[in-house]
Amino acid sequence: MRRTDPGAHGPANGSSTEESGPASPEGHGPVRYGPPLPDDGLPVLPELASVLAAAANLGAEEPVGGGPALLDAACGYWERRGLPAPPGRVTAGPGAPALLLALTAALGGDVLVPRPCAAWWAPYARLLGRPVFHVATPAESGGAPDPYALLETVRRVRDEGGDPRLLVLSVADDPTATVAPPELLHETVEAATGAGLHLVSDETWRDTLHAPDATVLLSPAEMLPDQVTVVTDLAGALLPAGWPAAVARFPESVGGRALHARVLDILTAVGARLAAPVAVAARYALEEPEPVSARREAVVRLHARVAAAAHAAVLAGGALARPPQAGRHLYADLEPLRAALVGHGVGDAQELEDFLTARLGMPAPGGHRFGDDLGALRVRLATGPLLGGTDAERLECLTSPAPLELPHVQRALMSLESVLDDLRDDAQRWEPPR
């Protein structure tokens, strides 16, 4: 197994800390701000809008956990990805956060997550009063903790009287936009299950691989089907973010069936039901008819090209970032530009978020939103805002054979390049003579 790289996000020794909130000191940054999933920036697919409109007269709610037609569609979705899923092992809810909240409540105990991780994971555990421990990730990718760091964290938490039970990870990651290599993922999964942890695999972004023929994505549920619950938010690749819907696939075991039942009880208690029109649209999307598949593939190609261009601009500007492999975002580290940023009053991730959001005219949530160190100068940059400011401009990106040559895309990328180039030039001027 690999040792944690000292340059990886998180402590170099693999240690982890439990945190009381998204940022420290208390009150630093907007309180009621959770960066949303990076959306595709595009108008709703017409066929999908038509399906929802046709169901608009359905005023009822779906049954808790989803009705038979929706669950059958979810089973087919996973079957096509090599993950058999009988209807009795599947449930649906109004977005992945509702499902993760129910899973965390049902499993009990302390929660472990990678550093950094999706912005919405830790708050739901804290809402339940559960400690959250962030574990360093290896140099290769985010989304899955380093196996050595994970075992050390579990040992330390138990020595201190804690009760770690749940590890949440993602194979196609938000915020880092990387895909965990199968060999690393296998080591992490083995370490987690050997330590008695249940795994929740967030696979929201699995259908957004930038190079699907060259990138191997393996679900932890393929490795250990009896100990992994899979959660997929349909906002990743199938539905607009404003139509909240997600599905979960439970292990086929006595423990998995019991966990499924407890989750349904919790969803019932909090009234987490899908609206019937959204459920109809979710079923249609999960069946992956040709219009949905074609739009998804076109959107992935578009965002892959824009993400690659944005990544090149980040590197040219003197910052760091892993090459984006999935999703509609990238994770940039501006530590090499710290000297210049300090000259602009920027010394931590919140100040960097404020600075870049104002300069770029687009959201640039700081790494502290994702459980990263507040003092680290990291941000997640989404590619959706780079597609233009109107529906017409964004649709033109989708249909153009050369979207990077469109004037509005060029202007957006030039703005990013200009801000980073200015910082790089300032940093070079302020470097002490050798």
Side-chain angles (χ1 to χ4, degrees):
M1 293 195 294
R2 297 165 183 76
R3 297 288 181 182
T4 302
D5 189 294
H9 300 319
N13 62 2
S15 64
S16 169
T17 57
E18 193 275 327
E19 300 174 343
S20 60
S24 177
E26 186 176 354
H28 191 64
V31 176
R32 294 179 180 87
Y33 173 66
L37 293 178
D39 65 28
D40 62 19
L42 297 162
V44 175
L45 176 69
E47 290 84 352
L48 195 57
S50 296
V51 169
L52 184 75
N57 64 330
L58 300 176
E61 299 171 318
E62 281 281 285
V64 172
L70 176 57
L71 299 184
D72 283 346
C75 292
Y77 170 87
W78 273 311
E79 288 274 1
R80 291 189 293 276
R81 284 152 182 81
L83 293 172
R89 293 169 57 191
V90 175
T91 195
L99 295 180
L100 184 59
L101 175 69
L103 280 161
T104 305
L107 287 163
D110 303 340
V111 180
L112 294 97
V113 296
R115 182 191 297 276
C117 67
W120 55 274
W121 289 358
Y124 291 93
R126 296 191 182 102
L127 184 64
L128 295 167
R130 304 285 166 74
V132 178
F133 296 90
H134 290 265
V135 186
T137 54
E140 296 96 317
S141 64
D146 175 88
Y148 280 100
L150 177 64
L151 291 175
E152 173 59 21
T153 301
V154 170
R155 182 200 62 77
R156 181 177 58 79
V157 171
R158 286 178 174 154
D159 286 349
E160 295 173 357
D163 183 22
R165 297 189 193 177
L166 169 63
L167 170 65
V168 187
L169 49 74
S170 56
V171 288
D173 187 42
D174 173 20
T176 66
T178 58
V179 176
E183 62 275 13
L184 168 65
L185 185 66
H186 193 272
E187 293 166 0
T188 299
V189 168
E190 281 193 334
T193 54
L197 303 177
H198 185 85
L199 278 73
V200 170
S201 177
D202 176 6
E203 300 185 7
T204 295
W205 300 103
R206 69 167 296 150
D207 293 330
T208 65
L209 298 184
H210 295 179
D213 294 334
T215 306
V216 179
L217 185 147
L218 191 63
S219 170
E222 297 179 66
M223 303 176 187
L224 291 171
D226 291 341
Q227 299 179 66
V228 179
T229 299
V230 177
V231 173
T232 298
D233 197 305
L234 304 193
L238 294 175
L239 285 183
W243 303 0
V247 288
R249 175 188 180 274
F250 292 82
E252 178 57 32
S253 62
V254 173
R257 290 191 288 274
L259 177 60
H260 185 201
R262 290 197 299 274
V263 164
L264 288 176
D265 288 342
I266 294 164
L267 293 175
T268 301
V270 299
R273 295 174 172 85
L274 280 167
V278 174
V280 171
R283 182 185 72 199
Y284 174 78
L286 283 165
E287 289 170 348
E288 301 179 286
E290 193 278 334
V292 170
S293 298
R295 164 64 82 92
R296 180 184 62 214
E297 291 166 7
V299 168
V300 170
R301 286 194 301 268
L302 170 61
H303 282 275
R305 296 172 78 171
V306 176
H311 179 252
V314 167
L315 297 186
L320 304 172
R322 295 185 180 109
Q325 298 174 286
R328 303 184 282 262
H329 54 284
L330 67 155
Y331 199 56
D333 185 347
L334 276 68
E335 183 62 33
L337 305 176
R338 180 178 288 274
L341 286 163
V342 168
H344 291 280
V346 175
D348 63 26
Q350 178 60 56
E351 292 164 351
L352 180 61
E353 174 184 303
D354 296 339
F355 175 81
L356 287 180
T357 297
R359 291 295 181 96
L360 297 174
M362 57 182 270
H368 62 303
R369 306 289 183 187
F370 309 99
D372 221 334
D373 297 328
L374 175 64
L377 297 178
R378 302 186 185 114
V379 293
R380 187 189 70 186
L381 300 174
T383 50
L386 302 175
L387 302 182
T390 67
D391 284 351
E393 287 180 340
R394 293 187 286 265
L395 277 176
E396 187 180 8
C397 292
L398 190 65
T399 57
S400 171
L404 299 182
E405 297 177 11
L406 295 174
H408 52 277
V409 177
Q410 288 186 335
R411 285 194 297 270
L413 289 169
M414 286 174 62
S415 175
L416 175 61
E417 291 170 1
S418 176
V419 170
L420 294 174
D421 286 348
D422 289 347
L423 291 172
R424 181 199 59 206
D425 293 344
D426 287 346
Q428 290 172 348
R429 281 197 298 270
W430 295 342
E431 279 184 359
R434 297 182 182 274

